[in-house]
């Protein structure tokens, strides 16, 4: 990724508290229960709760105990199959995640909305292409995601950039 506007580039793992993926086992679907998201549920920058699978409370507790839940402020990156979809999760209710979703918890040095925009940039997309493996199912592995270079302006600039780009995304989506 080129050095955008002179901002320093840093590996993602230097500005994230946690970079992990969701569950590597698929809990049995239920008619009622807790939500678990997959890449198919990542639509237009949000999780479409109406398409999420529901799982039992015991399966959800297991996901939570193993760190496979999505919390408010997490940034999600699809890493298997359809690679590069990004969601900044802005809900108070935690939900589970399957392994096709990378869950990123930024540190205080990195604004979630800014990170969401950075991960959708052309520079990051080129990095995804360089790192992808697999022939039948294209994927990114966590080791490579951790090394993705992201720009790191100061906090004030991050918020301003994210605000402008989020406004543009909303206007484009509404038209």
């Amino acid at each position: 990724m080129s050095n955008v506007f002179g901002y320093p580039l840093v590996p993602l793992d230097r500005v994230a508290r946690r970079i992990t993926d969701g569950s590597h086992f698929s809990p049995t679907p239920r008619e009622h229960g807790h939500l678990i998201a997959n890449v198919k549920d990542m639509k237009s920058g949000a999780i479409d709760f109406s398409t999420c699978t529901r799982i039992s409370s015991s399966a959800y507790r297991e996901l939570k105990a193993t760190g496979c839940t999505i919390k408010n402020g997490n940034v999600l990156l699809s890493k298997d199959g359809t690679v590069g979809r990004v969601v900044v999760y802005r809900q108070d209710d935690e939900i589970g995640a399957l392994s096709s979703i990378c869950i990123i918890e930024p540190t205080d040095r990195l604004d979630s909305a800014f990170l969401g925009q950075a991960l959708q940039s052309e520079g990051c997309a080129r990095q995804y292409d360089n790192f992808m493996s697999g022939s039948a199912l294209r994927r990114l592995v966590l080791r490579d995601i951790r090394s993705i270079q992201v720009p790191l302006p100061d906090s004030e600039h991050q918020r301003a950039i994210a605000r402008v780009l989020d406004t543009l995304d909303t206007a484009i989506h509404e038209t």
Side-chain angles (χ1 to χ4, degrees), residues 5-159:
F5 303 112
Y7 296 124
L9 296 175
V10 297
L12 191 54
D13 65 356
R14 287 195 32 220
V15 288
R17 280 188 188 90
R18 182 172 73 111
I19 301 172
T20 191
D21 55 6
S23 174
H24 287 260
F25 81 94
S26 295
T28 304
R30 305 279 187 206
E31 189 173 335
H32 302 285
H34 296 271
L35 299 176
I36 186 169
N38 198 341
V39 171
K40 70 172 177 51
D41 307 311
M42 297 174 70
K43 299 175 185 163
S44 301
I47 297 292
D48 182 351
F49 297 117
S50 70
T51 63
C52 289
T53 302
R54 296 203 172 261
I55 59 173
S56 69
S57 292
S58 62
Y60 180 78
R61 281 192 300 276
E62 186 174 336
L63 290 178
K64 191 167 175 79
T66 56
C68 297
T69 56
I70 302 167
K71 300 174 184 163
N72 194 354
N74 288 167
V75 179
L76 313 177
L77 173 66
S78 62
K79 65 180 202 64
D80 294 342
T82 303
V83 173
R85 287 186 187 172
V86 176
V87 169
V88 178
Y89 191 74
R90 301 172 201 245
Q91 304 292 321
D92 288 331
D93 295 330
E94 288 183 28
I95 63 172
L98 288 173
S99 64
S100 58
I101 297 176
C102 176
I103 305 165
I104 304 164
E105 181 182 344
T107 64
D108 295 338
R109 294 177 56 200
L110 189 60
D111 180 77
S112 293
F114 176 80
L115 176 59
Q117 290 292 342
L119 291 175
Q120 294 175 75
S121 72
E122 184 179 320
C124 282
R126 280 195 303 271
Q127 292 178 79
Y128 306 152
D129 287 341
N130 290 336
F131 286 134
M132 271 198 277
S133 61
S135 55
L137 179 67
R138 303 291 285 162
R139 68 173 44 100
L140 290 173
V141 295
L142 290 176
R143 175 191 69 243
D144 292 334
I145 293 170
R146 288 182 180 103
S147 68
I148 289 172
Q149 299 280 312
V150 295
L152 188 65
D154 63 62
S155 297
E156 184 180 323
H157 283 121
Q158 287 180 45
R159 286 188 297 275

